[in-house]
């Protein structure tokens, strides 16, 4: 029984051989077999079907030098297996179960095969079917596998009384920390020195930046605990995030302007012409109120917004607070509107001075906040699901920069009038809310972030269960 795509493939090629020529199995088949044998380089942990049969074919000169219909069909099946695993990844239904609602890209493996038949060597080139980040992570994967081959890194014993280390301190543990930072390239050399000197500080700051920590000069037990995450775990994290890259259309970056929020790194990036034009810290949903992974089209800005308290927050938080203090609503500048409660525009408003709407079924939007101190925290999962932006004024200016109706002065006025004003954008802006715990930056440095919603854990169970 042949899959429909295989029948379609041969129909398209007038039922001619694809993987054989007059001398037997062709160069392209060899290249495909080599790719199949190295699927681990693609961040895949899979069992190849008909593995023994394939080995038998490619190691037998007689079978290599003859045309064979069964081998031909087996190789076509193998091609679709390869393309499915590398370019598509796990099934749509499983992705939805993982809470991933970003739209998946449409695939055409047959068209890719046509290109490869013209030039088989293209199979070793980056494919337009995959996000550029995939290839960045693939490179990082090879680097971490090399580290693993040479023994990885050893666990750093945490001294019982250690509270912190700072520049100028000496300690035996600094020797191991220095070696650890050298292993991952955060330090250029390992001086075998137990002094916390300026060289170590430079390496530590690089490490902190790559792992989502505050860029201060203190070395704390939590940093050592993070360094003690073994190389095989980091490799799994890279593989998990390569899988996520398979689900996203590369056409995302073809938009002239778009916004990306990465939940684990607590950052928002506004891209213009494929380059970051604005980067802002954000606060996302706590584990009980997770921010969803999805996309939308920003269509409205609301200046000096009312906050219409969601029914769940009214029931769980506001009503109990009113029971304890009858003046709670007045104290928080709130009012009843029918059977709902809303908070008036102003300095106390939970949404701050502006909100950004991109209609979606998750009822999630981005907004300002009066609670500015939360942006100084390393872990910023505090909201009920919406995304609080540290630089809302800058974001509003950038969103409206091509609109002659809005100068920065008019934006400031609208944000501070304490009178709600909704404005429909002339051009919608795509917003992508993603979840990546490993990401390679423009300098080629890999960053790791905490799996705050345990999404990695769930995906790893699917990817690494034999």
């Amino acid at each position: 029984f042949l899959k429909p795509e295989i029948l379609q493939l041969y129909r398209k090629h007038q039922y001619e051989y694809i993987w054989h020529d007059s001398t037997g199995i062709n160069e392209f088949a060899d290249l495909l077999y080599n790719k199949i044998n190295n699927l681990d380089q693609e961040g895949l942990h899979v069992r190849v079907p008909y593995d023994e049969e394939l080995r038998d074919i490619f190691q037998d000169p007689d079978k290599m030098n003859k045309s064979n219909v069964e081998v031909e069909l087996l190789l076509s099946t193998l091609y679709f297996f390869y393309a499915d695993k590398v370019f598509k990844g796990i099934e749509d239904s499983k992705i939805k179960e993982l809470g991933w609602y970003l739209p998946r890209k449409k695939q055409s493996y047959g068209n890719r095969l046509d290109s490869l038949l013209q030039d088989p060597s293209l199979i070793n080139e980056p494919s337009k079917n995959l996000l550029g980040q995939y290839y960045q992570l693939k490179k990082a994967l090879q680097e971490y596998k090399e580290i693993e081959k040479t023994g990885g890194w050893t666990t750093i014993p945490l001294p019982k009384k250690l509270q912190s280390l700072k520049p100028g301190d000496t300690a035996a543990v600094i020797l191991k920390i220095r070696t650890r930072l050298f292993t991952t390239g955060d330090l250029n050399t390992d001086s075998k020195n137990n002094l916390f000197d300026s060289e170590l500080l430079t390496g530590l700051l690089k490490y902190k930046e790559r792992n989502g920590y505050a860029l201060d000069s203190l070395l704390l037990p939590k940093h050592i605990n993070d360094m003690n995450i073994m190389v095989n775990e980091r490799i799994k994290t890279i593989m998990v995030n390569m899988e996520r890259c398979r689900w996203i259309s590369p056409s995302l970056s073809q938009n002239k302007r778009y916004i990306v929020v990465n939940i684990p790194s607590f950052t928002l990036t506004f891209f213009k012409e494929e380059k970051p034009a604005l980067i802002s810290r954000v606060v996302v949903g706590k584990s009980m109120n997770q921010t969803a992974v999805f996309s939308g089209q920003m269509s409205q800005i609301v200046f000096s917004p009312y906050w219409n308290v969601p029914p769940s927050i009214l029931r769980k938080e506001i009503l109990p607070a009113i029971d304890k203090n009858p003046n709670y609503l007045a104290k928080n500048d709130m009012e009843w509107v029918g059977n709902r409660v809303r908070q008036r525009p102003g300095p106390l408003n939970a949404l701050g001075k502006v909100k950004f709407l991109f209609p979606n079924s998750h009822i999630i939007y981005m907004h300002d906040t009066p609670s500015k101190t939360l942006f100084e925290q390393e872990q910023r999962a505090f909201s009920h699901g919406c995304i609080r932006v540290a630089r809302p004024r800058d974001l509003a200016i950038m969103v409206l920069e091509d609109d002659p109706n809005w100068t920065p002065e008019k934006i400031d006025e609208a944000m501070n009038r304490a009178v709600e004003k909704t404005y429909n954008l002339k051009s919608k802006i795509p917003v992508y809310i993603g979840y990546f715990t490993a990401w390679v930056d423009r300098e080629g440095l890999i960053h790791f972030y905490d799996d705050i919603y345990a999404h990695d854990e769930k995906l790893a169970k699917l990817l690494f269960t034999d």
Side-chain angles (χ1 to χ4, degrees):
F1 177 72
L2 294 176
K3 287 185 175 181
E5 57 260 37
I6 292 178
L7 290 170
Q8 189 181 342
L9 175 67
Y10 284 101
R11 198 177 297 126
K12 184 177 179 182
H13 288 270
Q14 286 79 46
Y15 299 97
E16 297 280 341
Y17 280 106
I18 292 169
W19 307 101
H20 292 79
D21 55 28
S22 57
T23 62
I25 288 177
N26 61 25
E27 176 203 2
F28 186 24
D30 266 336
L31 289 169
L32 176 65
Y33 182 58
N34 183 53
K35 279 286 179 187
I36 286 290
N37 277 338
N38 291 286
L39 282 176
D40 59 323
Q41 291 180 12
E42 304 292 340
L44 289 165
H45 177 77
V46 292
R47 191 182 69 78
V48 177
Y50 309 108
D51 189 25
E52 287 181 22
E53 290 89 332
L54 288 163
R55 199 180 305 117
D56 184 42
I57 293 162
F58 281 87
Q59 289 179 356
D60 185 336
D62 287 340
K63 289 177 181 173
M64 287 286 286
N65 296 331
K66 288 179 189 170
S67 296
N68 181 305
V69 173
E70 279 187 22
V71 172
E72 173 74 17
L73 294 175
L74 178 58
L75 288 169
S76 290
T77 303
L78 197 65
Y79 169 77
F80 283 103
F81 169 81
Y82 163 78
D84 225 36
K85 294 296 181 188
V86 173
F87 300 118
K88 183 185 175 192
I90 64 174
E91 293 304 314
D92 290 22
S93 57
K94 289 181 179 175
I95 289 173
K96 293 276 169 64
E97 286 170 23
L98 294 167
W100 185 280
Y101 298 101
L102 280 172
R104 289 198 74 170
K105 61 179 185 280
K106 290 175 182 172
Q107 296 285 4
S108 176
Y109 306 140
N111 290 346
R112 175 166 169 77
L113 183 55
D114 289 341
S115 304
L116 294 173
L117 288 168
Q118 296 289 322
D119 182 359
S121 67
L122 288 175
I123 199 167
N124 292 317
E125 297 296 319
S127 166
K128 291 177 183 174
N129 285 342
L130 286 167
L131 203 64
Q133 179 63 204
Y134 174 87
Y135 292 101
Q136 298 271 56
L137 286 169
K138 182 179 175 179
K139 187 181 174 194
L141 178 67
Q142 301 317 313
E143 289 167 1
Y144 272 70
K145 284 190 169 184
E146 281 302 314
I147 292 172
E148 186 179 43
K149 271 186 199 171
T150 55
W153 50 78
T154 56
T155 301
I156 303 168
L158 192 63
K160 284 182 182 177
K161 293 183 180 177
L162 179 70
Q163 291 186 326
S164 67
L165 290 167
K166 61 185 185 305
D169 288 348
T170 55
V173 73
I174 287 174
L175 293 169
K176 291 188 177 292
I177 291 165
R178 197 182 285 279
T179 301
R180 168 68 177 81
L181 294 176
F182 173 66
T183 304
T184 45
D186 297 297
L187 274 176
N188 294 327
T189 56
D190 182 0
S191 65
K192 311 289 185 187
N193 190 338
N194 69 352
L195 171 68
F196 193 149
D197 55 14
S198 60
E199 184 183 44
L200 182 66
L201 178 60
T202 301
L204 178 64
L205 290 175
K206 189 173 174 183
Y207 181 86
K208 284 186 172 188
E209 187 179 5
R210 292 195 307 106
N211 292 275
Y213 289 109
L215 298 182
D216 56 36
S217 61
L218 286 182
L219 200 157
L220 304 171
K222 66 180 177 182
H223 302 134
I224 295 175
N225 287 333
D226 192 76
M227 290 176 195
N228 283 338
I229 296 172
M230 289 292 101
V231 67
N232 63 317
E233 289 301 316
R234 290 304 195 198
I235 285 170
K236 280 186 181 178
T237 299
I238 295 170
M239 291 167 73
V240 159
N241 286 279
M242 286 176 75
E243 174 67 22
R244 290 187 178 118
C245 287
R246 295 185 176 98
W247 309 341
I248 298 176
S249 173
S251 63
L252 174 153
S253 60
Q254 289 168 13
N255 295 299
K256 276 195 165 185
R257 305 196 304 163
Y258 62 99
I259 293 167
V260 174
V261 174
N262 186 25
I263 294 168
S265 67
F266 310 107
T267 54
L268 172 152
T269 307
F270 193 121
F271 286 91
K272 284 167 58 180
E273 307 291 348
E274 296 189 36
K275 292 179 181 172
L278 171 73
I279 297 172
S280 173
R281 293 183 174 194
V282 295
V283 166
V284 300
K286 47 196 169 190
S287 58
M288 295 297 289
N289 305 96
Q290 297 180 7
T291 300
V293 177
F294 72 103
S295 65
Q297 296 280 330
M298 187 184 291
S299 56
Q300 290 183 324
I301 290 187
V302 183
F303 295 105
S304 297
Y306 279 97
W307 178 42
N308 295 298
V309 179
S312 60
I313 298 177
L314 177 63
R315 187 176 66 255
K316 293 176 186 174
E317 299 177 30
I318 307 295
L319 292 178
I322 292 170
D323 287 341
K324 287 181 183 175
N325 178 7
N327 293 320
Y328 179 85
L329 292 185
K331 186 181 173 186
N332 289 280
D333 208 10
M334 292 177 167
E335 61 187 6
W336 284 101
V337 182
N339 59 357
R340 295 184 297 109
V341 167
R342 71 179 183 182
Q343 190 175 36
R344 300 181 192 91
L348 298 178
N349 190 282
L351 306 184
K353 297 177 178 181
V354 60
K355 69 176 177 179
F356 306 85
L357 300 181
F358 37 103
N360 59 84
S361 60
H362 308 282
I363 321 175
I364 285 174
Y365 48 88
M366 299 189 294
H367 62 86
D368 180 20
T369 175
S371 306
K372 305 291 187 189
T373 56
L374 293 180
F375 294 115
E376 301 308 312
Q377 303 286 324
E378 289 174 343
Q379 295 282 317
R380 296 189 290 276
F382 299 110
S383 82
H384 288 90
C386 285
I387 297 159
R388 304 176 194 171
V389 182
R391 298 176 61 186
R393 177 182 180 270
D394 295 338
L395 181 58
I397 289 170
M398 193 156 286
V399 165
L400 295 166
E401 68 180 345
D402 296 330
D403 192 327
N405 295 314
W406 291 97
T407 61
E409 292 73 27
K410 284 188 175 180
I411 288 169
D412 285 337
E413 185 186 337
M415 284 176 68
N416 291 287
R417 273 187 70 198
V419 175
E420 186 176 80
K421 179 178 178 61
T422 300
Y423 183 74
N424 295 324
L425 301 183
K426 289 188 173 180
S427 301
K428 292 179 181 179
I429 300 174
V431 177
Y432 301 92
I433 300 171
Y435 193 96
F436 286 89
T437 52
W439 189 264
V440 179
D441 66 20
R442 287 175 170 258
E443 281 69 51
L445 295 175
I446 187 159
H447 295 240
F448 292 102
Y449 305 108
D450 284 348
D451 181 20
I452 58 169
Y453 296 160
H455 287 343
D456 278 15
E457 206 178 303
K458 292 169 197 160
L459 179 52
K461 280 180 185 172
L462 291 174
L463 296 180
F464 305 124
T465 302
D466 290 314

